[in-house]
Amino acid sequence: MPDRVPPLSLSLIEQARAFLAGRVLRTPLEGSPALEEILGVPVWLKLESAQLTGSFKIRGALFRLSLLSEDEKLAGIATCSAGNHGKAVAYAARSLGLVPTIFVPSSVDESKYRAMLDLGAEVVRSEFPGYDETEQWALRQAARAGKVWISAFDDEAIMAGNGGTLGLEILEDAPQAREFVLPVGGGGMAAGLAYAVKDRFPGSRIVGCNHELSPALALSLERGHAVTRLPAAETSAGGIEGGIGAKTFAVLRSRIDRVALVSEEEIFKGVRWMLEKHQYLIEPSAAAAVAACLTGKVGTFEGPAVVLISGRNVSLPTLGRILASRDISDPASLPAKGHFV
């Protein structure tokens, strides 16, 4: 079927924003005095963890599915997801009376897996733990079934909805912001946000945060081309595991100013820090951006900053591992005096 999605542009981002008005939440932009002490500039948290379905992914899913033709709806849709995109597609598809087929890695977070099923999706767990191998297998399955493929990130409508509308919201609510810190996996949110922000403020600075075991953006910048496939990495941050999109990297390669590589331990510490300082439960993928700030890997900031908190979806077993992994060098992980755990 021909590609019905136009190229990424401010016009497409504005189209996405108009469509999503009243369909998604305008999430809070909350100040973080604790991060201000660390970074030395005003800092806000963009709380997409408070978004419908628990992450920013609902923006792109709703907008992308709104562009389906009647023939495409009849053919059915399929996608691959580490969890949040699948949950968002399931939510969006239900509003259209569609039952999507969602392929997920064997390592998918159990809470996200159950949420997709609860939303009425057909969820197919692969034998592969990594996203990239699962997606390759899923593309073949979807093609055999004649279903329309909905990419989790490498799609202009996904970029416009997920990141473009986020960028516009942030600039409206914090027009003085000039530094932006966000987790990067396949790059759909990062590309859309970078496109919108750099158009308005070319001198602004965008820091993309990769897991050190799956540094697709860092490797792509180093090699000069999109690294779309990587070996599976064992991590709780499934949303930032795997390769980057070819289309998303084409946008990001000239718009990302720095890449921060964070470890699993630093990500866990970021989750605990958010609970301690802000009383918000966030998922490990979202905590990558927090971890980059806490470790200083974001570099030196010269102006007001926004840290993107991308989602909250995490299972109880994973949260238990994160809380149990505390160490004595992490004050936020220790019990208060007079209390026992």
Side-chain angles (χ1 to χ4, degrees):
M1 294 182 182
D3 189 353
R4 303 179 64 252
V5 181
L8 182 64
S9 63
L10 286 177
S11 176
L12 184 65
I13 292 171
E14 290 286 3
Q15 181 185 340
R17 180 162 71 162
F19 174 78
L20 293 174
R23 291 182 169 91
V24 299
L25 303 177
R26 190 181 184 98
T27 52
L29 198 67
E30 181 177 305
S32 176
L35 278 182
E36 289 179 7
E37 284 189 26
I38 294 170
L39 299 177
V41 297
V43 181
W44 296 275
L45 304 174
K46 178 59 172 173
L47 295 171
E48 279 296 286
S49 49
Q51 187 55 265
L52 299 175
T53 72
S55 84
F56 69 90
K57 292 284 191 175
I58 190 60
R59 296 171 180 264
L62 281 170
F63 182 53
R64 178 64 183 87
L65 266 59
S66 76
L67 302 179
L68 291 172
S69 68
E70 291 305 315
D71 286 344
E72 288 172 327
K73 292 176 186 176
L74 288 173
I77 61 173
T79 192
C80 180
S81 174
N84 284 342
H85 171 71
K87 188 177 177 182
V89 167
Y91 180 100
R94 189 170 66 170
S95 68
L96 297 174
L98 302 177
V99 177
T101 300
I102 302 171
F103 298 92
V104 300
S106 61
S107 60
V108 66
D109 185 280
E110 195 64 24
S111 69
K112 296 176 182 179
Y113 175 76
R114 291 294 171 190
M116 289 181 266
L117 290 174
D118 290 345
L119 285 166
E122 177 192 11
V123 186
V124 182
R125 200 191 297 254
S126 84
E127 63 184 72
F128 309 107
Y131 181 88
D132 292 342
E133 289 177 309
T134 297
E135 185 186 52
Q136 287 179 302
W137 171 74
L139 282 164
R140 293 193 295 270
Q141 302 303 311
R144 288 195 193 103
K147 293 183 181 292
V148 177
W149 184 256
I150 306 295
S151 174
F153 46 83
D154 214 25
D155 178 289
E156 290 84 356
I158 294 291
M159 293 183 233
N162 280 344
T165 63
L166 260 174
L168 294 183
E169 274 186 29
I170 291 169
L171 293 179
E172 288 174 352
D173 292 345
Q176 64 273 56
R178 294 296 183 272
E179 313 270 358
F180 303 84
V181 185
L182 49 150
V184 181
M189 180 265 285
L193 188 147
Y195 192 98
V197 167
K198 289 285 189 174
D199 179 83
R200 178 77 177 275
F201 298 114
S204 59
R205 198 170 73 111
I206 298 178
V207 180
C209 304
N210 275 172
H211 196 298
E212 65 179 15
L213 298 179
S214 198
L217 176 57
L219 288 174
S220 298
L221 291 168
E222 178 184 312
R223 298 176 185 179
H225 63 84
V227 177
T228 59
R229 305 290 177 198
L230 284 173
E234 186 174 344
T235 174
S236 62
I240 57 172
E241 188 268 343
I244 199 166
K247 293 179 180 178
T248 60
F249 181 64
V251 175
L252 288 170
R253 66 185 307 166
S254 63
R255 293 177 173 86
I256 283 286
D257 299 280
R258 185 184 182 92
V259 180
L261 302 182
V262 295
S263 69
E264 191 82 353
E265 180 183 349
E266 290 164 346
I267 286 171
F268 279 18
K269 191 174 292 186
V271 174
R272 296 193 300 265
W273 188 92
M274 280 293 291
L275 278 169
E276 172 69 16
K277 298 297 184 181
H278 285 276
Q279 293 73 56
Y280 289 135
L281 174 61
I282 65 173
E283 63 186 68
S285 295
V290 177
C293 294
L294 298 180
T295 58
K297 293 179 179 179
V298 290
T300 302
F301 284 174
E302 297 180 358
V306 172
V307 179
L308 199 291
I309 306 299
S310 57
R312 67 172 185 263
N313 297 315
V314 59
S315 68
L316 280 174
T318 299
L319 179 59
R321 286 194 295 111
I322 292 171
L323 296 179
S325 69
R326 59 193 184 178
D327 62 80
I328 60 173
S329 66
D330 177 11
S333 74
L334 299 177
K337 292 181 180 179
H339 293 267
F340 299 88
V341 294

